[in-house]
Amino acid sequence: MADPYHNNIYHQGDGDSYGTYGQGGQDGYGYQTDYPPQEEDAASDATEGHDEEDQMYEGEYQGIPHPDEVKAARRAARAKARTVADAVSEQEELAEQYEDIMEDCGHGKFQWTLFVVLGLALMADSVECFVVALVLPSAEKDMCLSHAEKGMLGLIVFLGMMFGAFIWGGLADKVGRRKCLIIVLAMNCISAFFSSFAQGYGFFLFFRLFSGIGIGGSVPIVYSYFSEFLQMNKRGEHLSWLCMFWMMGGIYASFTAWGIIPRYGWGFSMGTEFQFHSWRVFVLVCALPAIAAFVGLIFMPESPRFLLENAKHDEAWMILKQVHDTNWRAKGEPERVFTVTHIKIPKTQEDEFIEIQTATGTAFQRWVVRTLTLTKLVIKNVLSLFGRDLRLATLLMAIIWFTMAFSFYGLSVWFPDMIKHLQHEEYESKLKVFHREKVEQFHFNFSLENQVHKEGEYINDKFIDIEMKSVKFEDSLFVDCFFENIRSTETIFENCTIRSTVFYDTDLYEEKFIDCTFENVTFLHNKKGCHLDYEEENDVLVYLVSFLGSLAVLPGNIISALFMDKIGRIKIIGELNQFVSNQEEPVKTTFCSLAGAIIAWQCLFCGVSVAAWNGIQVITVELYPASKRATAFGVLNAICKLAAILGSSIFASFVGITKVIPILLSCIALVGGGVLALKLPETREKVLL
């Protein structure tokens, strides 16, 4: 049977600081002709005038080992482990080879540039999670949304992100990380543009769903993409630093919402049919991180590990050489030579199948065949996650992701809803009730707010240029009254009798009159649409809570980045979950009656749980081989979004009913996830397969 790696043999040189990788066979890829290896006394132009023997390593007298000695020791340890093992698979051998190459490439300018670009993509995902919640108070008035429509708008983004994570995670393992990430960012930018101009609820809902499907694929791709440019001893730390951009996305969304949405003048209108208010400007501004990431990715290469998995040796070699040269040139050592001449390239039956099927037929037929074949390969890759080797790890990770997301997103919705509920209770406590008042020939030129009028009589009165907020007229009589330019919020007339009365230029529609009797009543030039009220709906507290919740994750990010590679992923996930659950009992009994204390607990919860999130994401990258990495991350992230939908819906239903059950549910979920996390293998000393 033919060697799937084209009979290429991996050789590790004994005398060099880094060995060359094999000699290409007849079917192989030898680079000795085009890229001849330098002899021992060879030197590039950049090294002219330098005498290596005269240069002293500055840590020599301090007992600090030279970095090359550290790398040699790590490689020797891995080589010894391979000899002890009964058998080393070709996949493991390729992983060891790739790890050695990344160690020689070093960590420097290239990784930091990619870090910023992919961080902006992650920031775009974070902004997408915040944008609907921040614009909803304004959008519900602008588009006259009911409570059901508001709930659907809040969930549709997570629904789109759930499908997006599944679809794009699978495609990234077959089409490419960079290509898929460019597409999802483009989808997000286009959707943000059109949704900002959408006047109807249906179009706005569709474009937010489309945006979620796009940006939902960014998280699985970003982590898989970045991890494949990192060496083992840098992976946990720098993947954790990457999570900082998710925090920055929340801060960016909160600050821009605070600065833009209350500015009602930052908009324009074209008649009564087209309105572009300031909250729509905010939706546009929220696309800036995605635009910046899109532009940056144009100048970034594809993952060389993905290219090797798909038998594209030439491209992978060129990219690895680019990484090597970029890093060492930036460190002031341009004389370092990329000594790799050959890398193993697995040739799978899947690739051959695509080549055979797409060789003939019309362009449309080839497109159909490619699409169907690609779909089958993605589904096959998803099912392979539940094969014998990965079944246990996948089930454990799915449960851990679900429990973390259920409690995190559930409490993230419950905290602000509880604050609103407490504010509403305080507001209702100040309700004014008027019984059997009789008002004749009076001009109401002041606003009415938080009032109930029962069995009143209003004869020949005028209500002109006023606002009615949370006003209820019950069993009342209106005779010869005149209403003009009235703006109302949560105002109703129930079981009232209205005679010889004119409503001119008001938003008092028929649905606001419940079981009322009309006699000679006229409605003229009713207001169209809904009005925006920035004094109430855009309370500063909405943005403050969002900002504090995002900023609170900073300590957790720093802790996880500093200790991820020192104490391990498992301890971070398990112990922090246990810590958060232990803090929920005193909160349940002490804090939940005060809005300020709820905000403080939200900050503590977000700050601690983010470290566990970082551990989950790092171990997800490390558990799965390159051919299944993005697929697995996408499936688990889709489960995460499903848990977010269920958690936010379930927890919101208990607002105003009980404070105990949401805290208890999150406590059980976190304890269960933390215990299961201890069953996972530690991966910090594991090379990426």
Side-chain angles (χ1 to χ4, degrees):
M1 187 175 65
D3 185 354
Y5 288 91
H6 290 219
N7 299 318
N8 301 321
I9 305 173
Y10 166 48
H11 297 287
Q12 177 72 41
D14 297 329
D16 299 333
S17 61
Y18 182 74
T20 59
Y21 289 87
Q23 304 291 332
Q26 183 177 359
D27 299 328
Y29 293 82
Y31 285 90
Q32 284 78 3
T33 302
D34 298 330
Y35 302 94
Q38 291 192 349
E39 298 179 0
E40 292 183 1
D41 58 346
S44 64
D45 295 337
T47 62
E48 187 175 350
H50 289 263
D51 187 354
E52 293 184 1
E53 294 181 358
D54 294 337
Q55 296 186 21
M56 181 72 67
Y57 171 54
E58 61 182 9
E60 182 174 344
Y61 291 116
Q62 302 174 22
I64 302 174
H66 193 279
D68 288 342
E69 296 177 4
V70 176
K71 287 192 295 185
R74 284 201 296 262
R75 291 177 184 177
R78 291 199 295 268
K80 183 178 180 180
R82 287 198 301 269
T83 58
V84 173
D86 295 336
V88 178
S89 68
E90 292 172 339
Q91 186 182 57
E92 292 172 336
E93 189 176 351
L94 175 59
E96 295 281 356
Q97 176 187 2
Y98 191 80
E99 177 65 25
D100 290 345
I101 296 174
M102 292 312 303
E103 286 182 353
D104 264 16
C105 289
H107 188 93
K109 180 180 178 180
F110 181 90
Q111 280 85 358
W112 285 113
T113 304
L114 185 64
F115 172 81
V116 173
V117 173
L118 296 182
L120 289 169
L122 196 62
M123 187 175 171
D125 176 85
S126 173
V127 170
E128 188 67 23
C129 294
F130 285 93
V131 63
V132 170
L134 292 172
V135 304
L136 197 55
S138 300
E140 68 172 312
K141 292 297 180 183
D142 202 7
M143 293 189 288
C144 307
L145 302 182
S146 65
H147 289 293
E149 289 173 332
K150 287 189 294 182
M152 177 57 68
L153 189 58
L155 293 177
I156 199 68
V157 173
F158 284 102
L159 189 65
M161 294 173 81
M162 180 180 72
F163 287 108
F166 182 86
I167 294 169
W168 294 110
L171 288 175
D173 278 333
K174 299 301 176 184
V175 177
R177 281 86 159 102
R178 174 180 175 271
K179 184 176 182 179
C180 286
L181 190 55
I182 287 176
I183 294 173
V184 302
L185 291 172
M187 289 176 63
N188 181 250
C189 296
I190 294 170
S191 301
F193 177 81
F194 283 109
S195 65
S196 67
F197 287 93
Q199 297 296 301
Y201 170 75
F203 282 110
F204 187 77
L205 190 72
F206 170 77
F207 287 122
R208 295 323 300 178
L209 173 64
F210 191 72
S211 177
I213 292 175
I215 203 63
S218 63
V219 173
I221 300 173
V222 162
Y223 282 95
S224 302
Y225 189 11
F226 192 49
S227 68
E228 291 168 354
F229 284 96
L230 297 173
Q231 57 200 62
M232 183 175 62
N233 64 323
K234 300 284 187 181
R235 203 164 53 227
E237 176 186 353
H238 288 274
L239 287 175
S240 297
W241 286 126
L242 187 66
C243 297
M244 293 279 285
F245 281 92
W246 211 92
M247 174 200 72
M248 293 169 61
I251 294 175
Y252 172 81
S254 304
F255 259 117
T256 52
W258 197 345
I260 294 175
I261 295 180
R263 272 58 174 179
Y264 183 76
W266 291 15
F268 61 91
S269 61
M270 299 174 62
T272 59
E273 299 300 325
F274 185 87
Q275 305 287 331
F276 194 88
H277 295 125
S278 57
W279 68 267
R280 298 179 182 274
V281 178
F282 167 70
V283 174
L284 279 178
V285 172
C286 283
L288 292 180
I291 294 173
F294 177 85
V295 174
L297 272 173
I298 294 175
F299 303 97
M300 291 290 107
E302 180 57 86
S303 164
R305 185 61 189 272
F306 166 79
L307 295 173
L308 290 173
E309 291 290 333
N310 288 269
K312 297 180 180 179
H313 178 281
D314 292 24
E315 295 177 48
W317 188 92
M318 292 298 293
I319 292 169
L320 288 169
K321 185 178 186 300
Q322 175 190 351
V323 175
H324 177 279
D325 294 346
T326 300
N327 287 341
W328 290 113
R329 193 179 299 117
K331 293 177 181 179
E333 299 184 49
E335 69 276 6
R336 291 257 190 170
V337 178
F338 187 60
T339 57
V340 178
T341 59
H342 196 84
I343 313 171
K344 290 189 173 182
I345 46 172
K347 180 74 172 178
T348 64
Q349 294 179 351
E350 295 174 356
D351 300 317
E352 295 171 356
F353 181 63
I354 293 177
E355 291 170 5
I356 293 171
Q357 293 292 328
T358 59
T360 59
T362 64
F364 177 75
Q365 289 174 332
R366 290 196 296 270
W367 178 83
V368 171
V369 170
R370 288 193 197 101
T371 303
L372 292 176
T373 304
L374 190 59
T375 302
K376 292 178 182 178
L377 294 178
V378 170
I379 294 174
K380 181 181 178 181
N381 219 21
V382 172
L383 294 177
S384 69
L385 300 178
F386 300 92
R388 184 181 60 183
D389 296 336
L390 297 173
R391 184 186 301 122
L392 179 60
T394 301
L395 290 176
L396 287 175
M397 289 300 296
I399 296 173
I400 294 169
W401 273 83
F402 185 91
T403 55
M404 275 291 297
F406 182 80
S407 59
F408 180 82
Y409 287 101
L411 287 179
S412 296
V413 170
W414 185 76
F415 283 135
D417 282 356
M418 273 302 301
I419 294 173
K420 291 179 182 178
H421 176 70
L422 293 174
Q423 290 178 325
H424 183 67
E425 286 185 337
E426 183 181 1
Y427 184 77
E428 285 189 334
S429 66
K430 300 177 181 179
L431 178 68
K432 297 179 182 178
V433 180
F434 300 88
H435 287 276
R436 296 182 179 180
E437 61 178 352
K438 185 173 183 180
V439 183
E440 295 185 39
Q441 297 183 349
F442 185 78
H443 184 185
F444 288 87
N445 57 1
F446 51 87
S447 296
L448 306 178
E449 181 177 1
N450 199 19
Q451 300 176 3
V452 173
H453 300 264
K454 296 183 178 181
E455 300 180 8
E457 294 183 9
Y458 306 90
I459 301 172
N460 200 18
D461 294 327
K462 293 181 179 180
F463 301 80
I464 300 177
D465 296 330
I466 66 172
E467 293 183 11
M468 296 182 177
K469 298 180 182 180
S470 301
V471 178
K472 181 179 181 181
F473 293 95
E474 185 177 348
D475 299 320
S476 299
L477 173 66
F478 294 85
V479 179
D480 292 326
C481 292
F482 184 74
F483 291 80
E484 181 180 359
N485 192 22
I486 305 297
R487 297 199 308 170
S488 63
T489 302
E490 297 181 357
T491 296
I492 61 173
F493 296 75
E494 184 175 350
N495 199 29
C496 295
T497 301
I498 305 173
R499 299 173 184 165
S500 304
T501 297
V502 176
F503 294 88
Y504 182 85
D505 190 24
T506 72
D507 61 1
L508 299 174
Y509 310 121
E510 292 184 4
E511 59 267 19
K512 295 190 177 183
F513 297 90
I514 303 173
D515 297 328
C516 293
T517 302
F518 295 96
E519 299 177 10
N520 193 26
V521 176
T522 305
F523 290 88
L524 298 174
H525 304 289
N526 282 348
K527 293 181 183 293
K528 294 183 178 180
C530 302
H531 67 273
L532 291 171
D533 183 3
Y534 289 97
E535 294 180 359
E536 179 181 0
E537 279 74 23
N538 294 309
D539 193 338
V540 144
L541 190 62
V542 176
Y543 312 121
L544 181 62
V545 170
S546 176
F547 167 74
L548 291 177
S550 300
L551 187 63
V553 306
L554 178 61
N557 271 320
I558 295 175
I559 291 172
S560 64
L562 294 178
F563 294 99
M564 187 70 70
D565 287 322
K566 292 181 173 62
I567 67 174
R569 293 82 163 111
I570 304 303
K571 288 185 178 180
I572 285 181
I573 299 172
E575 293 182 5
L576 288 178
N577 275 5
Q578 298 283 349
F579 173 80
V580 173
S581 62
N582 289 338
Q583 302 304 310
E584 291 184 345
E585 184 63 28
V587 170
K588 178 178 68 177
T589 58
T590 306
F591 287 165
C592 286
S593 59
L594 302 174
I598 291 178
I599 296 176
W601 167 239
Q602 180 183 9
C603 293
L604 175 64
F605 174 76
C606 293
V608 175
S609 61
V610 71
W613 271 117
N614 293 353
I616 291 173
Q617 290 161 343
V618 171
I619 200 172
T620 300
V621 166
E622 296 171 336
L623 271 177
Y624 296 92
S627 60
K628 299 176 176 62
R629 183 168 297 124
T631 300
F633 210 122
V635 170
L636 295 172
N637 201 253
I639 293 173
C640 166
K641 295 303 185 288
L642 175 63
I645 294 172
L646 294 176
S648 57
S649 301
I650 293 173
F651 279 54
S653 65
F654 291 108
V655 173
I657 299 176
T658 177
K659 305 180 185 71
V660 176
I661 294 180
I663 300 295
L664 188 61
L665 285 176
S666 62
C667 181
I668 294 173
L670 290 172
V671 170
V675 170
L676 288 177
L678 300 177
K679 303 293 184 181
L680 292 170
E682 182 56 68
T683 57
R684 59 175 168 164
E685 298 293 335
K686 177 184 177 183
V687 296
L688 284 181
L689 294 178

